[in-house]
Amino acid sequence: MNEDSAIPTPSTSSGPAPPLLSLTGREWVFREVDNREVQVFSQKHDIPDMLAQILVARGVRLEEVEQFLNPSLKVSIPDPSHFLDMDIAATRVATAVTAGERIALFGDYDVDGATSSALLVRYLRALGAEPFMYIPDRMKEGYGPNTEALLGLQKRGVRLVITVDCGTMAFEPLEAAHNAGLEVIVIDHHIGEARRPKACAIVNPNRLDETSPHRQLAAVGVAFLLMVAVNRRLRETGFFAGKTEPDLRQWLDIVALGTVCDVVPLTGVNRAFVAQGLKVMAARGNLGLRTILDMAAVSEIPSVYTCGFVIGPRINAGGRVGKSDLGVRLLTTEDPAEAMVLAKELELHNAERKAIEAFVLEEAQAQAEAADPSTSVLIVVGRGWHAGVIGIVAGRLKERFHKPVAVIALNDGIGKASARSVSGIDFGAAVIAAHEAGLLMAGGGHAMAAGFTVEEEKIPALAEFLEARMRSLPGQSGSARRLSLDGMISIGGATAELIANLDRMGPFGQGNPQIRLAVQGVINLKPEIVGEHHVKTLFIDPLTNVRLSAIAFRVVGTKLGDALLATRGKKLDVAGQLRLQEWNGRQSVSLMIDDVMMG
């Protein structure tokens, strides 16, 4: 890295810098560091100063650096037995496998649910058990277990049901199953209430009485730990005598996919799941994943982006606008012909999803633009909106307005909602509180994503409740209008070597965001609209004439898009994320623009 071109962020020794307001009205906040600590990190671990600076600023301790930069599952994975009910669940599953009982998996229709289901399908098959798989229809059945489906499984000879990515709030269905003699194990990660449903075991790191520090796990991570516990129990009972014990690492690609797509924090064991899972995915051993990647013409090594924006939307498409079990079937098939049929069907559903999403987004965005900008939470409601796309729309609005968002699709007086949040605001807890206050028919979720069902006449009261709760959160006033930056560089510092060093901080995601740098003192040379929604430009350093291509996605008609187009030929400071691109065997550095201010 060219250390001369790296401009350090403000340090604690020089005092806090004055607020810097961008052309979009955001305050740029640099992560403060002690430069002496940076030098210790750099020398102790033989890493560049900027990498050391970012590690310090993000709170990584000196003794954690090696594991952070080289995530190891062997080091990070916790003992499954420390979770409440895990040993009970593992013993019951091991007993069912040994006795040849019929087991059913009841999953959610999103990517976390699909991957959790696929993971356990593959594992149980490896043990010689062929589980029955049930994914509810989003539109007809809604989220989570329902009484009719559970009792229907029992009639088909099922004695044990394992719910994955759902079940924590399914009080009535699980009580009905219990009364009918059907045993249920809940494998989930959604926030629950103080009471718990009747079940053989409830393994959930976000149980209110759970003391585990691993609350950031997605359901697929919990399912993987269940497999570890079941394997251990079967080993103890001699089940594997004369048999080959399944190597659980072969399915880490599925774990990585579900962990990334459920937008849980990529910290602790999740970092190791994703880092190691991407290595497994690169080998393309899973037929379904390989078929999707081939169909999407992805030839490079899979990344977090590949999971979140290439594979995830296609796996999700069946649950949103098609058949809810298509994703699980694709992830578990070993038949190339079937894999191709399923992948093509998901591709068609994904195209349909995009069209529906565009329509709903246009209407929701118009509502959001007209809303009071001082509100702490944005709630938009549409009659007849397709419930299968409102989660994506909520995410788009959150990105645009930088605040928590709930999108409610109204049909026949009942609203189905998806919510997305910003860092520091727990929407899942707010939904649980609203449910306990009698404002919701059902609801649940986690910090960054939640869902609920609400009667139409209660929407105004719900909006008041959520606004009051979120406005009262400490330190949240104006926080969504802040943009955190990891450092400053000149254009000359935007090199492939710098990117390679910063990429060692990955995998990036919720809890470990992409590194965002300010590129200082550039001329906005050629801003122009590309496609329908994006603005690209070319920045030039007026002192060295070094150039840097850049693009801002989905910004046409926004403050950022207008600012870029209006500052042709002017000097700017630009905040964004560096990317290394390859074309015809040549590498080039570009910048994904997040914000701009006058230089």
Side-chain angles (χ1 to χ4, degrees), residues 92-152:
R92 182 65 186 89
V93 173
T95 299
V97 169
T98 303
E101 296 179 34
R102 191 74 191 274
I103 302 171
L105 301 171
F106 196 111
D108 188 18
Y109 34 64
D110 69 358
V111 182
D112 192 17
T115 51
S116 300
S117 301
L119 187 68
L120 292 179
V121 166
R122 285 188 169 275
Y123 176 63
L124 290 171
R125 282 177 179 171
L127 297 178
E130 183 61 42
F132 189 88
M133 187 171 58
Y134 191 94
I135 309 293
D137 184 281
R138 180 191 292 264
M139 304 304 294
K140 295 178 182 178
E141 297 176 88
Y143 168 79
N146 61 82
T147 300
E148 182 179 353
L150 289 176
L151 297 184

Side-chain angles (χ1 to χ4, degrees), residues 360 363-368 371 378-386 390 393 397 405-411 413-418 452 454-460 462-463:
V360 175
E363 291 197 346
Q365 195 162 280
Q367 257 189 68
L378 182 60
I379 299 176
V380 295
V381 185
R383 200 172 301 279
W385 286 351
H386 196 297
I390 56 176
V393 172
L397 295 181
V405 175
V407 179
I408 304 176
L410 271 180
N411 288 281
I414 302 296
K416 298 282 188 180
S418 279
F452 57 85
V454 59
E455 294 170 297
E456 182 175 0
E457 60 268 22
K458 291 186 178 180
I459 291 177
L462 173 65

Side-chain angles (χ1 to χ4, degrees), residues 235-490:
R235 196 181 305 123
E236 291 170 350
T237 61
F239 179 84
F240 293 120
K243 301 176 183 177
T244 301
E245 184 175 327
D247 183 352
L248 307 185
R249 294 172 297 180
Q250 65 183 301
W251 300 310
L252 284 172
D253 49 0
I254 298 176
V255 181
L257 176 62
T259 300
V260 169
C261 290
D262 214 50
V263 203
V264 292
L266 294 191
T267 57
V269 66
N270 283 351
R271 279 180 59 76
F273 276 145
V274 174
Q276 299 305 318
L278 289 175
K279 294 177 183 178
V280 176
M281 193 179 294
R284 301 199 177 204
N286 183 290
L287 175 61
L289 291 177
R290 182 168 73 245
T291 305
I292 287 180
L293 292 171
D294 289 344
M295 189 170 290
V298 175
S299 57
E300 63 269 19
I301 296 174
S303 63
V304 168
Y305 178 89
T306 310
C307 292
F309 295 94
V310 178
I311 303 173
R314 288 165 170 82
I315 296 294
N316 240 341
R320 293 190 185 280
V321 297
K323 299 174 184 176
S324 57
D325 67 346
L326 290 177
V328 184
R329 289 167 57 195
L330 181 60
L331 291 173
T332 55
T333 186
E334 298 295 344
D335 181 346
E338 182 185 28
M340 183 59 67
V341 170
L342 292 170
K344 286 181 177 179
E345 191 169 354
L346 284 170
E347 192 74 23
L348 290 174
H349 287 315
N350 195 42
E352 180 185 359
R353 184 270 305 169
K354 288 180 180 178
I356 296 171
E357 175 196 329
F359 168 76
V360 175
L361 178 60
E362 183 178 2
E363 291 197 346
Q365 195 162 280
Q367 257 189 68
E369 295 282 3
D372 182 351
S374 69
T375 56
S376 298
V377 58
L378 182 60
I379 299 176
V380 295
V381 185
R383 200 172 301 279
W385 286 351
H386 196 297
V389 302
I390 56 176
I392 302 174
V393 172
R396 299 279 191 226
L397 295 181
K398 181 203 75 170
E399 292 173 5
R400 186 175 183 122
F401 294 95
H402 311 291
K403 62 175 66 177
V405 175
V407 179
I408 304 176
L410 271 180
N411 288 281
D412 299 325
I414 302 296
K416 298 282 188 180
S418 279
R420 298 293 182 268
S421 194
V422 296
S423 181
I425 300 180
D426 190 333
F427 217 132
V431 166
I432 294 298
H435 185 249
E436 292 177 333
L439 294 172
L440 301 176
M441 300 171 65
H446 51 82
M448 301 303 294
F452 57 85
T453 304
V454 59
E455 294 170 297
E456 182 175 0
E457 60 268 22
K458 291 186 178 180
I459 291 177
L462 173 65
E464 290 182 9
F465 178 91
L466 293 175
E467 176 65 27
R469 180 183 177 92
M470 293 185 182
R471 185 174 291 277
S472 68
L473 292 174
Q476 292 307 323
S477 178
S479 62
R481 299 304 303 167
R482 297 192 184 108
L483 187 71
S484 294
L485 296 169
D486 292 288
M488 295 183 83
I489 59 171
S490 65

Side-chain angles (χ1 to χ4, degrees), residues 147 150-151 154 170-182 198:
T147 300
L150 289 176
L151 297 184
Q154 186 182 39
F171 300 105
E172 293 181 6
L174 265 62
E175 182 169 4
H178 173 80
N179 293 338
L182 178 64
K198 288 188 176 181

